[in-house]
């Protein structure tokens, strides 16, 4: 599984994201630019310039027409993917830590930072993606569909559930909460981690999701009930976690905090991507390579591989080999035999 090593950012990576087809990878970094790459060979397709601060997050709409980004310059920007043209800028009082399109691409969620006397919020913006151009030629509204103000612990991550019925948020105090996506009312909240939640990524159908935390665990939760289904325990703080859409695996990434890294080698820092079996909660493999913590990982939408972004400024793209797809546990083989 020889990786493609991509060097296009001057500073630490903050998020990597595949488009829905899996042929493009978008990467954000603290160097103010978004890069887009071909996932097959790691060739750079282009950059999106316009933000004046560190970029924290990026999201691609379902048709790969529009791109949303959030940054420390207190703005969310909407871009046309094909041309790199900035279509709209929304201003906020604090930094944007997470953006995510709804499944139909008609809404955009944003998570704002708690800072300078402002409380953290979750905002939902309407996106006009009608017409043959997929919304590129449309005037986007300044109006917000919804603003959820978080009085208690600030949200670090959030996203839309299946059919955009709920908004699920992960918080700094280790809790996850469920909100009505129309009224903005809080339905339920439960503490699942001991420390801050660093990432939240969905299964393909959005009926369950995985959270990663600084408490060295990742957990799988049901969207409707917020019940914790599985727990993956590691020996290092986690920054990111992703679910394989085809095999029963989850991918975890993390490592010792960047500020402590000078005192340890890459081996002790535990800068590896880890594959865990989704059902058995066992570690099945590790992939070394980064020489700093993994800040973000993403599984290919068709399960063909994964990419990771590190504190070292590199994006590493891995395509899984045949043994990965052929490997199965004894109980899985027995199950397949029984079906025959």
């Amino acid at each position: 599984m020889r990786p493609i090593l991509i060097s296009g950012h001057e500073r630490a990576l903050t998020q990597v994201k595949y488009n829905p087809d899996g042929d493009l990878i978008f990467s954000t970094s603290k160097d103010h630019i978004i890069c887009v790459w071909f996932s097959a060979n790691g060739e750079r397709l282009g950059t999106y310039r316009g933000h004046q601060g560190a970029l924290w997050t990026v999201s691609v709409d379902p048709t790969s027409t529009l791109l949303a980004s959030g940054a420390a310059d207190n703005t969310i920007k909407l871009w046309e993917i094909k041309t790199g043209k900035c279509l709209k800028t929304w201003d906020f009082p604090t930094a944007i830590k997470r953006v995510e399109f709804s499944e139909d691409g008609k809404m955009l969620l944003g998570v704002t930072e708690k800072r300078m006397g402002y409380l953290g919020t979750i905002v939902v913006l309407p996106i006009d993606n009608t017409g043959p151009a997929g919304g590129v030629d449309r005037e986007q509204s300044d109006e917000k569909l919804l603003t959820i103000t978080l009085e208690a612990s600030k949200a670090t991550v959030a996203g839309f559930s299946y059919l955009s019925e709920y908004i699920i948020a992960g918080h700094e105090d280790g809790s996850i909460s469920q909100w009505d996506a129309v009224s903005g009312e809080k339905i339920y909240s439960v503490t699942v981690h001991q420390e801050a939640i660093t990432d939240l990524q969905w299964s393909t159908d959005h009926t369950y999701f995985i959270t990663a935390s600084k408490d060295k665990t990742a957990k799988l939760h049901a969207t409707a009930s917020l019940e914790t289904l599985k727990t993956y325990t590691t020996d290092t703080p986690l920054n990111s976690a992703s679910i394989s859409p085809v095999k029963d695996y989850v991918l975890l990434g993390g490592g010792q905090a960047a500020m402590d890294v000078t005192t340890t080698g890459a081996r002790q820092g535990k800068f590896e991507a880890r594959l865990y079996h989704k059902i058995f909660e066992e570690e099945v493999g590790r992939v070394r390579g980064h020489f700093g913590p993994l800040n973000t990982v993403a599984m290919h939408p068709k399960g063909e591989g994964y990419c990771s972004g590190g504190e070292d400024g590199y994006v590493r793209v891995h395509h899984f080999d045949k043994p990965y797809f052929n490997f199965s546990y004894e109980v899985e083989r027995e199950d397949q035999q029984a079906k025959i």
Side-chain angles (χ1 to χ4, degrees), residues 90-197:
W90 290 274
D91 289 297
F92 294 89
T94 56
I96 311 297
K97 298 300 279 194
R98 181 59 70 107
V99 292
E100 188 178 295
F101 278 103
S102 59
E103 283 181 294
D104 59 3
K106 294 188 185 301
M107 293 186 286
L108 178 65
L109 175 146
V111 176
T112 69
E113 180 72 283
K114 180 182 179 180
R115 194 161 283 162
M116 299 180 297
Y118 291 98
L119 288 169
T121 64
I122 300 170
V123 295
V124 178
L125 304 164
I127 301 293
D128 185 354
N129 61 358
T130 54
V136 169
D137 51 354
R138 301 289 183 185
E139 187 71 36
Q140 302 296 340
S141 168
D142 283 318
E143 290 293 313
K144 299 179 184 71
L145 292 174
L146 185 66
T147 302
I148 299 168
T149 305
L150 303 159
E151 304 283 346
S153 177
K154 72 171 186 188
T156 49
V157 287
F160 287 108
S161 76
Y162 50 86
L163 306 175
S164 305
E165 194 176 332
Y166 310 119
I167 291 168
I168 305 289
H171 298 263
E172 196 177 40
D173 64 359
S175 65
I176 49 177
S177 58
Q178 186 186 64
W179 307 77
D180 187 295
V182 178
S183 68
E185 281 180 43
K186 189 176 188 177
I187 300 167
Y188 188 52
S189 175
V190 59
T191 301
V192 292
H193 288 284
Q194 264 102 51
E195 290 184 49
I197 292 173

Side-chain angles (χ1 to χ4, degrees), residues 188-266:
Y188 188 52
S189 175
V190 59
T191 301
V192 292
H193 288 284
Q194 264 102 51
E195 290 184 49
I197 292 173
T198 49
D199 197 14
L200 182 154
Q201 292 194 33
W202 297 98
S203 63
T204 314
D205 60 2
H206 286 227
T207 56
Y208 61 96
F209 60 94
I210 192 166
T211 54
S213 170
K214 292 284 182 199
D215 69 2
K216 303 183 181 180
T217 65
K219 298 189 180 188
L220 215 59
H221 313 274
T223 303
S225 65
L226 299 190
E227 180 193 349
T228 300
L229 306 170
K230 299 287 175 187
T231 301
Y232 312 101
T233 307
T234 69
D235 54 0
T236 187
L238 293 176
N239 296 327
S240 192
S242 189
I243 302 167
S244 169
V246 291
K247 297 277 282 181
D248 282 329
Y249 295 122
V250 295
L251 178 71
L252 313 179
Q256 199 176 358
M259 58 195 239
D260 307 327
V261 166
T262 47
T263 57
T264 59

